[in-house]
Amino acid sequence: MKKVVTMGEMLLRLTPRHYKRLVQADSFRAIFGGGEANVAISLANLGHESLFVSKIPDNEIGLACKDVLDENGVNTDFLKFGGERLGLYYSEEGSGVRSSYVIYDRLNSSIAEASIDDFDFDEIFKNASIFHISGITPALSKSCKELTKIALKKAKEAGVFVSFDLNYRSTLWPLDEAVKFYEEVSPYIDLCIGVIPEIHPSFKGVFNEKSLEKMFEETYQRTGIKYITSTIRKSFSATDNRLSAGIYNGRDAHFTDEIDVRVEERIGGGDSYTAGLLCSLLDGKDKNDAVEFAIRASALKHTIKGDYNLSEREEVEDFVRGKHSGRIEW
Amino acid sequence: MKKVVTMGEMLLRLTPRHYKRLVQADSFRAIFGGGEANVAISLANLGHESLFVSKIPDNEIGLACKDVLDENGVNTDFLKFGGERLGLYYSEEGSGVRSSYVIYDRLNSSIAEASIDDFDFDEIFKNASIFHISGITPALSKSCKELTKIALKKAKEAGVFVSFDLNYRSTLWPLDEAVKFYEEVSPYIDLCIGVIPEIHPSFKGVFNEKSLEKMFEETYQRTGIKYITSTIRKSFSATDNRLSAGIYNGRDAHFTDEIDVRVEERIGGGDSYTAGLLCSLLDGKDKNDAVEFAIRASALKHTIKGDYNLSEREEVEDFVRGKHSGRIEW
Amino acid sequence: MKKVVTMGEMLLRLTPRHYKRLVQADSFRAIFGGGEANVAISLANLGHESLFVSKIPDNEIGLACKDVLDENGVNTDFLKFGGERLGLYYSEEGSGVRSSYVIYDRLNSSIAEASIDDFDFDEIFKNASIFHISGITPALSKSCKELTKIALKKAKEAGVFVSFDLNYRSTLWPLDEAVKFYEEVSPYIDLCIGVIPEIHPSFKGVFNEKSLEKMFEETYQRTGIKYITSTIRKSFSATDNRLSAGIYNGRDAHFTDEIDVRVEERIGGGDSYTAGLLCSLLDGKDKNDAVEFAIRASALKHTIKGDYNLSEREEVEDFVRGKHSGRIEW
Amino acid sequence: MKKVVTMGEMLLRLTPRHYKRLVQADSFRAIFGGGEANVAISLANLGHESLFVSKIPDNEIGLACKDVLDENGVNTDFLKFGGERLGLYYSEEGSGVRSSYVIYDRLNSSIAEASIDDFDFDEIFKNASIFHISGITPALSKSCKELTKIALKKAKEAGVFVSFDLNYRSTLWPLDEAVKFYEEVSPYIDLCIGVIPEIHPSFKGVFNEKSLEKMFEETYQRTGIKYITSTIRKSFSATDNRLSAGIYNGRDAHFTDEIDVRVEERIGGGDSYTAGLLCSLLDGKDKNDAVEFAIRASALKHTIKGDYNLSEREEVEDFVRGKHSGRIEW
Amino acid sequence: MKKVVTMGEMLLRLTPRHYKRLVQADSFRAIFGGGEANVAISLANLGHESLFVSKIPDNEIGLACKDVLDENGVNTDFLKFGGERLGLYYSEEGSGVRSSYVIYDRLNSSIAEASIDDFDFDEIFKNASIFHISGITPALSKSCKELTKIALKKAKEAGVFVSFDLNYRSTLWPLDEAVKFYEEVSPYIDLCIGVIPEIHPSFKGVFNEKSLEKMFEETYQRTGIKYITSTIRKSFSATDNRLSAGIYNGRDAHFTDEIDVRVEERIGGGDSYTAGLLCSLLDGKDKNDAVEFAIRASALKHTIKGDYNLSEREEVEDFVRGKHSGRIEW
Amino acid sequence: MKKVVTMGEMLLRLTPRHYKRLVQADSFRAIFGGGEANVAISLANLGHESLFVSKIPDNEIGLACKDVLDENGVNTDFLKFGGERLGLYYSEEGSGVRSSYVIYDRLNSSIAEASIDDFDFDEIFKNASIFHISGITPALSKSCKELTKIALKKAKEAGVFVSFDLNYRSTLWPLDEAVKFYEEVSPYIDLCIGVIPEIHPSFKGVFNEKSLEKMFEETYQRTGIKYITSTIRKSFSATDNRLSAGIYNGRDAHFTDEIDVRVEERIGGGDSYTAGLLCSLLDGKDKNDAVEFAIRASALKHTIKGDYNLSEREEVEDFVRGKHSGRIEW
């Protein structure tokens, strides 16, 4: 067991039940999640030690949030309590031709207003193998941008393998600011999830193997990051998707099989891919085997309610070995 | 904003949850709806002013029914209170190879026993652009038949565009009586939804573009109605349908693209098509653009729980412009 | 029917089901409410015309909020759309010896950041009989303080009867600032709900008729407000309360009977008292009859889920006439 | 085991969950019940053979209704299928000071329109010990009135002990018509539940032992029925009642202890008393022991969801022996 | 109506709602079922008389189990009460690529420890046409193995047609023991559902018409059983299956059409096939028509929650006649 | 923070929702608990370090059980995985005059069949301050009896304060065997919860301060245990109880105030008293203050769903200081 550190925001997600629209809801499912937390939880469920770093308010909503991490076996020793509020968002689950969408209400959250003094990175990165963070965290606030930079630098100094999920959100910061940041921190990054957004005119995930390989190359040219990976999602409808993934190491690209998924819960699908990939790296798999494992972990996650992959490693391995018919195992 | 008037029965629908059969149900979802009410609500959600005319009992069930109209912004100034009861029906939602079905319990309802004096059509049609009613209303009772005729006549006199959804139900009246009525009122009608039922041997909706065009022509020959339209539903299973629609103007027919829908709630699918069509006419679209908009409004409605389309106009327009992948909109 | 105008914040309340604690919740009931909105809705249900003034975000959460007002027949013509977010709070329902409590998350809400230009008070108060606002609104932000003052002044100028619910919340502003504000605006106020908080050492609602009468007198001395009223709540447990109320007109006080209530939902209990009182004033009841009606309206509200009183006037009148045994009415 | 025959209407009851008001409901609990059916089911659960006679529609709603009888072990050999509809009613559950109430929608039901030829009373009463029917059945329709008379006469001729629950409902027939009917059929009746309604000015159940004894005497004088019994309900609130009962045999009256009940479901409370009484008579208990058993059966029923008493005989006997503390039985 | 007898274990199934994983569940749906009980219930719903033989504990869990049989009209005269416990199992419903699985907790159940003296087979088989039992029952315990053998022998002696569903479960007994048992009892069997497991290297249901026909032949060679039948399930995912079936009579095989099913509840799918087949045999259909009816009964069952087919015969016949589009039947 | 060790069985509790009876349930709430686990969880929530020792099956049900401990912050380092099954019980929640009851299904559970080698007590008791175990554990099986004895002895040797909850269950072992065991292990015990069962003729908890004091004395005479404590529960109904407690130290007894509780969930009420008491001892409170704290912790627990007290220490302290009115804390 090797330790993975992730850092970021954890939010409350409010989602109507049974595909109801937001305007129809008289109750919301309450799910605590967030990109980096989802990766930490999924890794813990895959059997690795993971540690999540963040700041959450010192009230019962903060405690409820922490419970989720504890229940899933994530180390919360560096979870700070304080600040104003837990960020939240409303999410409506699409169905068929109707898309899902999200309304953010995450300004002034505890992590967005956290200071660098809240975290002792020397302690945090002690014995760590991997550090993972996403491009959402630096977009939250000016202090989060600084915090992200310092964390990346400290991780690199501590000899930790650094994974960065670009995860560009136009609602949080402008494209040029984001790209500038990506380029600035690329020297600290070993694995980049996603490609530089500006190099694709319609960066809405609509690409195929060929176009993705080209984008891998360009991203590599501009950043020099050693590994670049991305999923390919063909979205026939909100409930029927086809998944695959590719990885590039500066020389050649590998693309996985395509897997049809029926979506029980879409959110967290990308994070479970990242967790599957990091799990594979910790296990010593080569890059090609790693993405085959990762895309199947992600496919399984799509069938599971909530943000996190609750699949155990054995289930994913069975899937890699061909067992995914959906038959009852008596 | 132009005013649309609709008139008809509003019923309580009792449906077991989660595709349970009626005999398994220990509770029912309670939905207030009805063809013309559904059209009024969907139009209000698309941003038009709509007014619904009916009679409902003067008790809490009547009030609950009225609340739905108010909540959705439908004008209820001409909703009369009185009479015995609100009609109702039990509906079992099919799944896969199992069909949905309906048990009516709508005799002696307030509207079925309403008298013409309950309604002041001069006031009702003041400033109205469109009047919509379905062939269910005249089938409810002798007085409803009379009421429908008078309403159609008054609408025509007031210079209002008249839309009529044939909606033939063999459980409510015999075919010959219905057809005779359709022919009698056809001079008042500008837009006919559906084709004369008797002209197709297996009038169960199983037709294609070619056969539909022929039926359009025959219906036009017999009624002289200016616009005739119909949806085409290919029902692979209770949960997977393929939708398209056609419209005919006495000269030529236009047929829309086919759209695959995953059915969250089937009931109200046709009414949302009608609402989409009337919305387009009010917006000044030509007949071909109108049905393209309408069929997409209907497709979106199939993904929404309840009888009414809660889609806003922007969503439907986005769909017309090609956005319907079901991806999350972050 | 005479028009009542209320103005204030409308929030989303998130409450776990079935007396679960916040840390246990995996879903929340979602209720849109707020002191002044609750008064407007309760008045509409009692048969009066009411109009609610506020600002809410221009998204589906704002729309869902507006739906509640529409469904209950409140005039929303002066509801502005815009701003950042809808304020919200988490509320845990107590049971027995366990108290209810609330976590606010209402900073930077649309109304807190609204400007005076958002509202046209000349139009708003046209034909209004009563204006009601609470002491929470001026505590929300500096601009809300200004907005409240202007609204009170404009109402007075328009000859409208002004009702003000002190509703002091120590978590929103300091006591001295609040009291200073109360005294500053008292010339505009005709009816004060509650007594100046500082005059009672343990202002936690624990008073009896005698002490309340004295506090009425002092409040009257300091503010000169014509009518002062307050409920008296004996809280045996979170689920068992005993209610009564008093009113003072500068000369003499009247106290109502005590009524035992079993609490289905506590929030909105005070607002339903206010609504009952304003309803009685509009109906021309004298002050003593008014509080007898109001306290029974409030008692009934405690048995109803949600923030608002859904009792019709006839129910409350029956209660005044002695019918409240809880027997089935076949 | 001795056979009890009951005959009457079975209705669908639609009740919102969790004390919601009818206007708040977006779903209803669905309970099939009715006075005489409830007695039959409760008796079956107490271990006696019971047979229920009625007519229900020949559709899935009728089947669902029959399932409840089958599941509870009631003989349904004489349940006829046919007619228009199953009668139904909406019932709002009161809480605390808010009363429960009921909206009937039971006109034109299958039983109301049944003919005497639907039932073969010679077969029905073969080997029967007791026949029970209520005063609701003759009030349903003219044919039901006739049917009731014939059934009572046939039962008497077959030497069956006849129990009749007056159950006067002013919404179904006028007082004088009801009383005339009671007097007409009294020669066939051995046990009368309730007293002649007209002899008490405020016949709303508000009486005490003394006044009840007097009413027993008068009812006896006018009808000559051998046994007359009634429960006494002190309704502190919709959720807190105090129960007792009395019985009179033409000479002396016996009154039971008073039992405090917390109401989980009020409907069926009276029917469970009747069932407890009939059970005791079948078991050979004397009249005083019979009502002590019966009132405890009824008290237990008030704690059970649904219309019927699911208590087994042992539970009631334990209660008679003093065990009703509500402690856990590990 | 001809009597079918089935005998076996009835278990409590605990399943999380809405495709949640077992580790996520805070509640379980509770379904009482078991192979032979499911067949008996499905047959009763198809209109045949059926009788279920088993032993269940003498407590409220046993009673709840019996209620299900009574509600569905199964004769429970030979259901014994006694023993330690009702066996149970946890089942997680798969979705898409995630398989369903089952955790058994059925040791020491009442039926597993029943003795032969608990059952009077002469009475049980009186007037019976068919006896059905599965290969799970002999695998439960040593005494159940004996019990199965005696029941099969007694049935044969009574001239009853014997149906046996191999239903091999490797978690209950080793393959060689099972096969030895099958061969030992084959002289008593008229209809064998499934093929000898050992003759197919990957006996996980992955076969086609050709390979199945060969396995039919081999099974026939080794057992001499007159009729051998099996379903063919193509499992694209846990929620999308394609069903067909074949039957062999020692000379020739018939295979049905393939039917696509969307799975609402997978468990009981095989039992509903068996019930459809036995229903057809009782109705005098030939073997080919019988399997066409049976596979459609099974397809419909997959759309129904719970273990049992609630389809009526008319529904299945309609399906055979081609009606399965899933359209609403108004 | 001082470490408390508890050891025992953890079971799955299956309880129908909303006071339904077991025979009415179509689903069960699933709660993992057990006396000693409940104490460990409640202590963790009160802010102390606790460690729970047990054995649970190595499957998803075992994992779900462990999740509950992790989520609540209990140390699970000595939780062994293995054995057959998790014990379970069905529990019906009483209401009013209807008692709760329990059906055990806990034979052959993993802990009942655990061996002494499964646990390394030297490691377990390292740095422990308190060891708590109940009289249920030795009653589970012969090996559990041995295990309990060894654990008690090892704890004493390690200098750990030993708490023992007699918790006599007649369904698990005979009285004389239990008492013999209590006397045998009393030298290892510092705190005894409950009194020797045989010294009170009707040991059903019906005692008052006077009789309890006498029983304390006798228990002290026979066992020599330093501290003896017990709660006093006056059970007016399943939903209304009055709680107090007493403690005895060989010289004098102290009895707490009486507290009225409205029961949300009764199970775990005693364990929360024990946890409150141990918390107080760890905090250095004297025996009288300890029971005042403990009885209030228990009172709060009765208002909380599930087996464990989720109250934080501050809430209990507030209650001790007099705040328990149930008012909203805004």
Side-chain angles (χ1 to χ4, degrees), chain B residues 264-300:
Chain B
E264 282 300 326
E265 185 120 50
R266 167 69 184 81
I267 289 180
D271 303 321
S272 62
Y273 173 75
T274 299
L277 195 54
L278 300 184
C279 172
S280 299
L281 297 179
L282 289 169
D283 294 349
K285 289 207 171 83
D286 73 20
K287 81 174 200 309
N288 295 9
D289 287 352
V291 289
E292 296 289 351
F293 180 93
I295 200 64
R296 280 163 181 82
S298 180
L300 282 169

Side-chain angles (χ1 to χ4, degrees), chain D residues 10-287:
Chain D
M10 204 157 172
L11 305 101
L12 170 60
R13 170 155 65 100
L14 298 171
T15 297
R17 294 179 181 283
H18 306 311
Y19 301 103
K20 276 195 179 174
R21 307 212 73 167
L22 281 178
V23 293
Q24 295 178 293
D26 60 2
S27 75
F28 294 117
R29 294 164 55 213
I31 300 135
F32 295 98
E36 296 92 344
N38 298 347
V39 170
I41 291 174
S42 299
L43 274 164
N45 285 313
L46 289 166
H48 287 288
E49 192 183 344
S50 65
L51 184 157
F52 178 62
V53 179
S54 191
K55 189 169 184 182
I56 56 179
D58 188 12
N59 59 25
E60 281 73 10
I61 297 304
L63 279 176
C65 184
K66 177 175 182 293
D67 278 356
V68 168
L69 296 160
D70 287 335
E71 182 185 354
N72 283 281
V74 174
N75 182 327
T76 55
D77 289 350
F78 293 92
L79 200 58
K80 295 281 285 196
F81 281 89
E84 266 310 320
R85 63 186 295 255
L86 197 77
L88 62 85
Y89 64 110
Y90 305 91
S91 104
E92 181 179 298
E93 283 182 286
S95 172
V97 293
R98 180 164 55 82
S99 300
S100 298
Y101 74 91
V102 153
I103 297 176
Y104 277 144
D105 179 8
R106 64 196 296 182
L107 289 181
N108 309 115
S109 69
S110 294
I111 184 68
E113 305 194 342
S115 89
I116 287 145
D117 300 338
D118 283 322
F119 307 103
D120 177 347
F121 287 112
D122 294 333
E123 278 302 308
I124 287 169
F125 290 128
K126 194 170 283 175
N127 301 318
S129 300
I130 294 181
F131 174 54
H132 172 75
I133 193 168
S134 85
I136 288 176
T137 306
L140 294 177
S141 66
K142 221 182 134 199
S143 60
C144 273
K145 204 176 182 180
E146 200 53 30
L147 188 65
T148 306
K149 250 188 269 183
I150 287 168
L152 288 168
K153 200 162 159 250
K154 287 276 188 180
K156 183 49 66 189
E157 287 169 10
V160 173
F161 181 94
V162 174
S163 159
F164 189 83
D165 183 349
L166 297 184
N167 229 340
Y168 175 65
R169 294 280 151 84
S170 61
T171 45
L172 294 179
W173 56 353
L175 181 59
D176 55 352
E177 186 187 346
V179 173
K180 197 177 146 212
F181 182 85
Y182 300 155
E183 291 176 340
E184 188 179 344
V185 298
S186 58
Y188 308 126
I189 299 172
D190 300 290
L191 169 67
C192 175
I193 297 145
V195 297
I196 296 289
E198 63 177 345
I199 66 181
H200 201 288
S202 62
F203 187 80
K204 291 289 288 180
V206 193
F207 37 60
N208 54 27
E209 294 195 3
K210 188 167 281 180
S211 64
L212 181 55
E213 185 160 1
K214 224 170 141 204
M215 290 187 283
F216 280 158
E217 285 164 11
E218 290 190 42
T219 301
Y220 178 71
Q221 300 300 336
R222 286 175 57 171
T223 64
I225 299 172
K226 192 173 169 191
Y227 292 106
I228 305 165
T229 186
S230 172
T231 55
I232 307 177
R233 178 182 303 272
K234 293 183 180 153
S235 188
F236 304 117
S237 80
T239 23
D240 291 288
N241 289 188
R242 182 169 293 159
L243 289 184
S244 62
I247 191 162
Y248 182 78
N249 64 355
R251 289 185 308 275
D252 58 89
H254 172 78
F255 294 94
T256 69
D257 299 333
E258 291 191 317
I259 298 167
D260 284 323
V261 297
R262 178 179 128 128
V263 180
E264 283 297 329
E265 185 119 50
R266 167 70 184 81
I267 289 179
D271 303 321
S272 63
Y273 173 76
T274 300
L277 195 54
L278 299 184
C279 173
S280 298
L281 296 178
L282 288 169
D283 294 348
K285 290 208 170 82
D286 74 19
K287 81 173 200 310

Side-chain angles (χ1 to χ4, degrees), chain B residues 18-19 94-96 98 239, chain E residues 19 29 93 239 262-266 301-306:
Chain B
H18 306 313
Y19 302 104
S95 172
R98 180 165 54 83
T239 24
Chain E
Y19 302 104
R29 294 164 54 216
E93 284 182 285
T239 22
R262 179 180 126 129
V263 180
E264 282 298 328
E265 185 119 50
R266 166 70 185 79
K301 194 272 136 207
H302 282 80
T303 71
I304 296 173
K305 291 276 184 203

Side-chain angles (χ1 to χ4, degrees), chain E residues 58-311:
Chain E
D58 188 12
N59 59 26
E60 280 72 9
I61 297 303
L63 278 175
C65 184
K66 178 175 180 292
D67 279 356
V68 168
L69 296 160
D70 287 335
E71 183 186 353
N72 284 281
V74 174
N75 181 328
T76 55
D77 289 350
F78 293 92
L79 200 59
K80 294 282 286 197
F81 282 90
E84 265 310 320
R85 62 187 294 255
L86 197 77
L88 62 86
Y89 65 110
Y90 305 91
S91 104
E92 182 178 297
E93 284 182 285
S95 171
V97 294
R98 180 164 55 82
S99 300
S100 298
Y101 73 91
V102 153
I103 297 175
Y104 277 145
D105 180 6
R106 63 197 296 182
L107 289 181
N108 309 117
S109 68
S110 293
I111 184 68
E113 304 195 341
S115 91
I116 287 146
D117 300 338
D118 282 323
F119 307 103
D120 177 348
F121 287 110
D122 294 332
E123 278 302 310
I124 287 169
F125 290 126
K126 194 171 283 174
N127 302 319
S129 299
I130 294 181
F131 174 53
H132 171 75
I133 193 167
S134 86
I136 288 177
T137 306
L140 295 177
S141 66
K142 222 181 132 200
S143 60
C144 274
K145 204 176 182 179
E146 201 53 32
L147 188 65
T148 305
K149 251 186 270 183
I150 287 168
L152 289 169
K153 201 162 156 251
K154 286 276 190 182
K156 183 49 64 188
E157 288 169 9
V160 173
F161 181 94
V162 174
S163 159
F164 188 83
D165 183 350
L166 297 183
N167 229 337
Y168 175 65
R169 294 280 152 83
S170 62
T171 46
L172 294 179
W173 56 352
L175 180 60
D176 55 351
E177 186 187 346
V179 173
K180 200 178 142 211
F181 182 85
Y182 301 156
E183 292 175 341
E184 190 179 343
V185 298
S186 58
Y188 308 127
I189 298 172
D190 299 291
L191 169 67
C192 175
I193 298 145
V195 298
I196 296 289
E198 62 178 346
I199 66 180
H200 200 287
S202 60
F203 187 81
K204 292 289 288 178
V206 193
F207 36 60
N208 54 26
E209 293 195 5
K210 189 167 282 182
S211 64
L212 181 56
E213 184 161 2
K214 224 172 138 203
M215 290 187 282
F216 280 158
E217 285 164 13
E218 289 190 43
T219 300
Y220 177 70
Q221 300 301 334
R222 285 175 56 173
T223 63
I225 298 172
K226 192 173 168 190
Y227 291 107
I228 305 166
T229 187
S230 172
T231 55
I232 307 177
R233 178 183 302 273
K234 292 183 183 153
S235 189
F236 305 117
S237 80
T239 22
D240 291 287
N241 288 189
R242 182 169 295 158
L243 288 185
S244 62
I247 191 161
Y248 182 78
N249 65 354
R251 289 182 310 274
D252 58 89
H254 171 78
F255 294 94
T256 68
D257 299 333
E258 291 192 315
I259 298 167
D260 284 323
V261 297
R262 179 180 126 129
V263 180
E264 282 298 328
E265 185 119 50
R266 166 70 185 79
I267 289 180
D271 303 321
S272 63
Y273 173 75
T274 300
L277 195 52
L278 300 185
C279 172
S280 299
L281 297 178
L282 287 169
D283 294 349
K285 290 207 171 83
D286 73 19
K287 80 173 201 311
N288 295 9
D289 286 352
V291 289
E292 296 290 351
F293 180 93
I295 200 64
R296 280 162 181 83
S298 180
L300 282 169
K301 194 272 136 207
H302 282 80
T303 71
I304 296 173
K305 291 276 184 203
D307 279 31
Y308 351 105
N309 194 358
L310 301 178
S311 299

Side-chain angles (χ1 to χ4, degrees), chain B residues 63-234:
Chain B
L63 279 175
C65 184
K66 176 174 181 293
D67 278 356
V68 168
L69 296 161
D70 287 335
E71 182 185 354
N72 284 282
V74 174
N75 182 328
T76 55
D77 289 350
F78 292 91
L79 200 59
K80 294 282 285 198
F81 282 90
E84 266 310 320
R85 62 187 294 257
L86 197 77
L88 62 87
Y89 65 110
Y90 305 91
S91 103
E92 181 178 297
E93 284 182 285
S95 172
V97 293
R98 180 165 54 83
S99 300
S100 298
Y101 73 92
V102 152
I103 297 175
Y104 277 145
D105 179 7
R106 64 196 295 181
L107 290 180
N108 310 116
S109 69
S110 294
I111 184 68
E113 305 195 342
S115 89
I116 287 147
D117 300 338
D118 283 322
F119 308 102
D120 177 348
F121 288 110
D122 295 332
E123 277 303 307
I124 286 169
F125 290 127
K126 194 170 282 176
N127 301 319
S129 300
I130 295 181
F131 174 53
H132 172 74
I133 192 166
S134 85
I136 288 177
T137 305
L140 294 176
S141 66
K142 222 182 132 199
S143 60
C144 273
K145 204 175 181 180
E146 200 54 31
L147 189 64
T148 306
K149 251 186 269 181
I150 288 169
L152 288 168
K153 201 163 158 249
K154 287 277 189 179
K156 183 49 64 187
E157 288 169 9
V160 173
F161 181 95
V162 174
S163 159
F164 188 82
D165 183 350
L166 298 183
N167 229 339
Y168 175 64
R169 294 281 152 83
S170 61
T171 46
L172 294 179
W173 55 355
L175 181 59
D176 55 351
E177 186 187 346
V179 173
K180 199 177 143 210
F181 182 85
Y182 300 156
E183 292 176 339
E184 189 179 344
V185 298
S186 58
Y188 308 127
I189 298 172
D190 299 290
L191 168 67
C192 175
I193 297 145
V195 298
I196 296 288
E198 61 179 346
I199 66 180
H200 200 288
S202 61
F203 187 80
K204 290 291 287 181
V206 194
F207 36 63
N208 54 28
E209 294 195 2
K210 188 167 281 180
S211 63
L212 181 56
E213 185 161 1
K214 221 169 142 207
M215 290 187 282
F216 280 159
E217 285 163 12
E218 289 190 43
T219 301
Y220 177 70
Q221 301 300 336
R222 284 175 57 171
T223 63
I225 298 172
K226 189 172 172 194
Y227 292 106
I228 306 166
T229 187
S230 172
T231 54
I232 307 178
R233 178 182 302 273
K234 292 183 182 153

Side-chain angles (χ1 to χ4, degrees), chain B residues 42-78:
Chain B
S42 298
L43 274 165
N45 284 312
L46 288 166
H48 286 288
E49 192 183 345
S50 66
L51 183 157
F52 178 63
V53 179
S54 191
K55 189 169 183 182
I56 55 179
D58 188 13
N59 59 26
E60 281 73 9
I61 297 303
L63 279 175
C65 184
K66 176 174 181 293
D67 278 356
V68 168
L69 296 161
D70 287 335
E71 182 185 354
N72 284 282
V74 174
N75 182 328
T76 55
D77 289 350
F78 292 91

